[in-house]
Amino acid sequence: MARLRRPKFLRNGKATAGALILLFFFILAVIGSWIAPYSPDATGPDAVVGPSGAHWFGTDQLGRDIYSQLLVGTRGVIVVGFAAGVIATVLSLVIGIASGYLPGRGGEALSVISNVFLVLPALPLLIIITSATPKDGGWIVILTIGLTSWAWNARLLRAQTLSLRRRDYVEAARATGESTWRIIAFEILPNLTAIIASGFVGTVVFTILSEITLAFVGINVSEWNWGTVLYWAQSQDALAQNAWWWFVPAGMAIALLGTGLALLNFGIDEFVNPRLRSGGRARVRTRAGRRLRMRVGFTPVLATVEEGEAR
Amino acid sequence: MKRLLTRLAFYLFTAWAAITINFFIARTLPGNPVSALLTKFQGQIDSSAIASLTALFGLDKHQSLWDQYVAYWGQLAHGDLGISFSQFPVPVSTLIGSYLPWTLFLVGTATVLSFLIGTALGVLSGWRRGSWTDALLPATAFLSSIPYFWLGLIAISVLAGPASFFPGSFSYDQGLTPVWTPSFVANAVQHAILPAATIVISSMSGWLLGMRNMMVTVSSEDYITVAHAKGLSDRRVMFSYAARNAMLPSVSGFALSLGFIVSGTFLVEIVFSYQGVGTLLLQAIGADDYPLMEGIFLVITLAVLAANFLADLAYLLLDPRTRKEG
């Protein structure tokens, strides 16, 4: 039986680690509410007690099980993060490519719009929009986050499209009479894949952090996610009560998920740009026994290095 | 010069967009703040005061939208951002004015520090690829994925406390009055160390990563090889040849990440109960104080735009190519 070969992309250690972490949280998002030992809203007699056999991560001020809150909350984090990430990525694709490919004023105008969204501070904008809309439903939050976090990506895509549109192969396609849509879909889009992928991962990190932040400041706390847990910890003075179990696991979960996504992004970056790979050891021993530091841009000839010439 | 004018025009346009967004959000607010106020101060407000309150909050529905918009601009021109609901009847501008200096102090110091430290580490790790500096990458990826506010919580619970050197809350000891005396300044700095360190640690990695990638790209350029071949010292090539060119994207990115850092600072302030705009914003959210929220959004946006303009000026100084054209 032939051994299953890993896809080329996943042979990078960082990318594999990132993908595994992401897979772990996906599974939790699906089964979280089934394997949670309690309902996240079920109150109990033990208020603010530390981790024990009955409550792995302790309880909050109403005796609710924090472990269950985190498990159930995983779904909210993943769904909102990825849904908003998809919305933002699609928007950035449309606006980025259009502003890079369209000649003249139209492209410039789109570019100005994305710059405006880049410069506006995101958190206060998110807060005034979400607080002005009805409180029920995560959809408002998803839409608002999605509609406000596309600009960075659109800028990158625009820059790349601008450099692609004058390449010879695109000119050739235009000369043979291919339609604009065909050129964009079959000539330009495939060459943007890497930027789109890493942009999507970066956007998801951003949307997840935004979502958790919104919950942390007290917007849309009726649905459980990790930010909601932190919101209650902050508003009930978990710090003053020394209730570390209340906020440490939630933060670790965020950090782990974020690290997974960041590692995945390093993997994509290094897959696309081999220069960024860390490569082997920088110090090598020459035949003469000297230790030599490999410098970027240099290829030392190890065999003929003499004393004094190494520098 | 032409470039500078273009940028100025862009910032004016962005400011206009922010103000207009703000105006329209104010018009779509749920509920009627005047009736909310009436229930809050039951019996204390005369029913005849309702009309004047309605006018005060800019809720007069008889005006056309355009007239309201013009009136809104008129108010802004006088620095009038409306009146806070939660701390009635204090004007929003007075509230923000008393909290804003603390935020500017915190954001300013933390941003400059994180830019300097992050860029320096990025230069090193890009130049010395393959040495211990490679370990900085996963470490900073971890640090940057931690939300600012959570790092702040950990910092407080580990480092701050009644007996500790680091105070866990407020921007100065509550017994003191804010005046420019050495002892007060020392006290304020002592209170700022932990929040600032939190922001620096979590925002540093962006600079580091960008700088490292640019250093790696720049190091294989011909002019670096030429500089080496001329026999210049490694340090000179690293700083004056590679780093100076690799820094340009970081400087132009400086402006863009500022909004992000400001958002993070708000959260750090909330965690540290620092008397800045972030804490004020949290109070506003808790009390559904819309005029205050919008005032904060507006003031912060204008501040970020002004800082961006300064970053553009710095870019002009660093990159001679931008000065030549025009």
Side-chain angles (χ1 to χ4, degrees), chain B residues 62-83:
Chain B
H62 299 302
Q63 280 180 314
S64 73
L65 203 59
W66 175 250
D67 286 340
Q68 289 184 36
Y69 187 60
V70 172
Y72 184 70
W73 272 98
Q75 277 185 348
L76 286 184
H78 292 100
D80 179 7
L81 294 169
I83 284 182

Side-chain angles (χ1 to χ4, degrees), chain A residues 82-305:
Chain A
F82 276 81
V86 168
I87 294 176
T89 306
V90 169
L91 261 177
S92 69
L93 259 182
V94 172
I95 295 178
I97 294 181
S99 76
Y101 196 80
L102 289 179
R105 303 261 163 185
E108 288 295 319
L110 285 176
S111 156
V112 168
I113 292 177
S114 47
N115 280 337
V116 167
F117 271 90
L118 264 182
V119 174
L120 293 182
L123 181 68
L125 182 64
L126 272 179
I127 287 177
I128 60 167
I129 296 179
T130 41
S131 64
T133 45
K135 303 264 171 190
D136 52 334
W139 273 107
I140 298 290
V141 176
I142 293 179
L143 272 179
T144 324
I145 297 179
L147 292 179
T148 48
S149 40
W150 51 269
W152 179 259
N153 220 358
R155 192 178 145 104
L156 292 181
L157 285 170
R158 171 183 148 88
Q160 188 65 14
T161 312
L162 274 177
S163 97
L164 287 179
R165 64 184 287 235
R166 287 290 158 214
R167 299 270 171 96
D168 286 345
Y169 72 95
V170 178
E171 296 283 12
R174 208 174 290 135
T176 54
E178 286 188 19
S179 70
T180 307
W181 286 114
R182 199 183 145 79
I183 294 177
I184 289 179
F186 290 96
E187 313 287 354
I188 293 194
L189 212 50
N191 287 299
L192 295 175
T193 319
I195 296 185
I196 297 169
S198 80
F200 176 68
V201 177
T203 310
V204 169
V205 174
F206 182 77
T207 51
I208 286 180
L209 282 183
S210 307
E211 176 207 0
I212 289 170
T213 304
L214 280 183
F216 176 69
V217 297
I219 286 170
N220 202 26
V221 282
S222 54
E223 289 176 30
W224 283 106
N225 70 42
W226 302 337
T228 322
V229 178
L230 291 171
Y231 166 74
W232 288 113
Q234 168 78 6
S235 59
Q236 298 295 324
D237 266 332
L239 273 180
Q241 305 179 47
N242 256 332
W244 56 268
W245 60 86
W246 205 338
F247 55 86
V248 170
M252 291 310 285
I254 300 167
L256 190 61
L257 178 57
T259 310
L261 288 165
L263 286 176
L264 202 59
N265 235 351
F266 284 151
I268 298 174
D269 280 349
E270 292 180 2
F271 182 67
V272 178
N273 184 356
R275 274 185 192 163
L276 297 178
R277 289 178 199 159
S278 292
R281 297 162 55 81
R283 283 184 176 279
V284 288
R285 191 178 285 275
T286 61
R287 187 186 281 173
R290 273 186 71 98
R291 290 167 69 79
L292 184 67
R293 172 189 293 283
M294 300 266 273
R295 281 191 299 214
V296 195
F298 277 78
T299 314
V301 183
L302 297 184
T304 57
V305 162

Side-chain angles (χ1 to χ4, degrees), chain B residues 102 167 169-179 181 183-184 187-188 191 275:
Chain B
W102 292 105
S169 56
F170 301 124
S171 41
Y172 53 90
D173 275 343
Q174 292 308 286
L176 299 175
T177 39
V179 278
T181 60
S183 66
F184 176 75
N187 189 270
H191 278 78
Q275 285 124 315

Side-chain angles (χ1 to χ4, degrees), chain A residues 115 119-120 123 131-132 206 213 230 234 247-248 251-252 255 258-259 266 275-278 282 293 295 298, chain B residues 10 30 128-129 134 142 145 149-150 157 209 213 216-217 220 228 234 260 263 267 270 290 293 301 305 308:
Chain A
N115 280 337
V119 174
L120 293 182
L123 181 68
S131 64
F206 182 77
T213 304
L230 291 171
Q234 168 78 6
F247 55 86
V248 170
M252 291 310 285
T259 310
F266 284 151
R275 274 185 192 163
L276 297 178
R277 289 178 199 159
S278 292
R293 172 189 293 283
R295 281 191 299 214
F298 277 78
Chain B
F10 168 70
R128 302 256 162 106
R129 204 157 49 121
D134 277 359
F142 181 74
S145 36
F149 59 86
W150 190 71
S157 65
L209 200 65
N213 286 356
V216 171
T217 313
S220 49
H228 276 304
D234 198 47
F260 196 68
S263 306
L267 299 168
I270 291 173
Y290 299 113
M293 275 187 243
T301 306
L305 290 184
N308 274 342

